[in-house]
Amino acid sequence: SALRLAGGRSRCEGRVEMKQAGAWGTVCDDAWDLADANVVCRQLRCGQAVRFYGGAAFGRGSGAILRDEVGCEGHEEHLWDCPAALEHDCSHKEDAGVVCSEHQEWRLSGGRDGCAGRVEVFFRGTWSTVCDSTWYKLEAIVLCHTLGCGEPIRWLSFSHTLPGKMIYQCESQKPSLAHCQWTYNKSAPCHQSRAAGVVCNGTAL
């Protein structure tokens, strides 16, 4: 058996999918709760669950619906170790989903639209700023691409006003900043830094 999250913005967020007999399928949201979601996040090395969803929040899956009425206690090593019904009366509009603590998502705030402003990252359940001490062209390119905002044309700096601070260092172009080297709330590299900002040449929808 194997497990993955699909339809999210990182490998630590999305619709819960299991592989059984060589084919991927989904899990029904009947009785789906935080204990079940925690087992998924831990199994995927994505930390703890911060949110759980039903109602195909990350889109409808395809294939078989492999589990219903999942009843994890939260300490199980694998989702398939939890008691569950193998027969179901569900459709894919009831596919279960989860957001884990190691998921990262980004936004630009305070600019003319979602393609300009201060860089903010949602991580471990809270929004943080990004230190500009290692914020260079490559990091800005990766972020503008991730947000569907084209290319960076200007760098801005802001003050840190959120509780956490993130630092990113990209060696090459990556699909997202989470694929670069990153550290969270380490004071030394952020000492005397400003909060990074960027203007991308695209416009947000």
Side-chain angles (χ1 to χ4, degrees):
S1 293
L3 187 71
R4 69 182 181 192
L5 297 175
R9 288 157 291 190
S10 78
R11 69 171 200 89
C12 292
E13 171 193 79
R15 179 177 60 252
V16 179
E17 297 194 345
M18 287 173 63
K19 194 176 195 179
Q20 202 168 285
W24 289 96
T26 65
V27 174
C28 185
D29 64 10
D30 295 342
W32 185 251
D33 63 16
L34 197 60
D36 306 323
N38 266 325
V39 172
V40 169
C41 291
R42 205 171 55 249
Q43 184 178 343
L44 292 173
R45 294 190 171 82
C46 284
Q48 298 290 309
V50 289
R51 297 199 284 271
F52 65 93
Y53 291 98
F58 295 99
R60 298 181 184 200
S62 55
I65 294 169
L66 298 172
R67 293 286 188 281
D68 189 15
E69 302 286 351
V70 176
C72 303
E73 289 176 20
H75 57 73
E76 294 87 353
E77 203 171 323
H78 303 105
L79 186 61
W80 43 84
D81 298 335
C82 301
L86 303 182
E87 300 292 312
H88 67 85
D89 52 0
C90 303
S91 73
H92 283 298
K93 70 172 191 284
E94 296 170 83
D95 285 342
V98 61
V99 180
C100 305
S101 58
E102 298 301 291
H103 163 66
Q104 296 181 33
E105 64 189 72
W106 300 270
R107 68 185 179 195
L108 292 172
S109 77
R112 52 158 205 262
D113 64 12
C115 287
R118 183 171 75 173
V119 183
E120 297 177 1
V121 53
F122 183 79
F123 179 61
R124 295 185 186 162
T126 184
W127 287 96
S128 298
T129 45
V130 174
C131 305
D132 68 0
S133 37
T134 59
W135 185 260
Y136 301 115
K137 188 175 181 183
L138 202 48
E139 290 77 15
I141 288 171
V142 170
L143 180 66
C144 289
H145 286 185
T146 301
L147 296 176
C149 287
E151 303 293 330
I153 49 175
R154 213 144 50 83
W155 279 249
L156 310 168
S157 62
F158 295 86
S159 48
H160 292 290
T161 57
L162 296 175
K165 293 188 178 81
M166 182 71 89
I167 200 154
Y168 291 106
Q169 286 175 285
C170 303
E171 305 290 314
S172 58
Q173 205 160 319
K174 301 285 188 187
S176 85
L177 290 171
H179 297 80
C180 300
Q181 285 183 292
W182 53 268
T183 46
Y184 181 62
N185 277 352
K186 292 275 194 297
S187 58
C190 287
H191 185 58
Q192 295 183 322
S193 72
R194 302 267 292 155
V198 65
V199 179
C200 311
N201 66 5
T203 49
L205 297 173

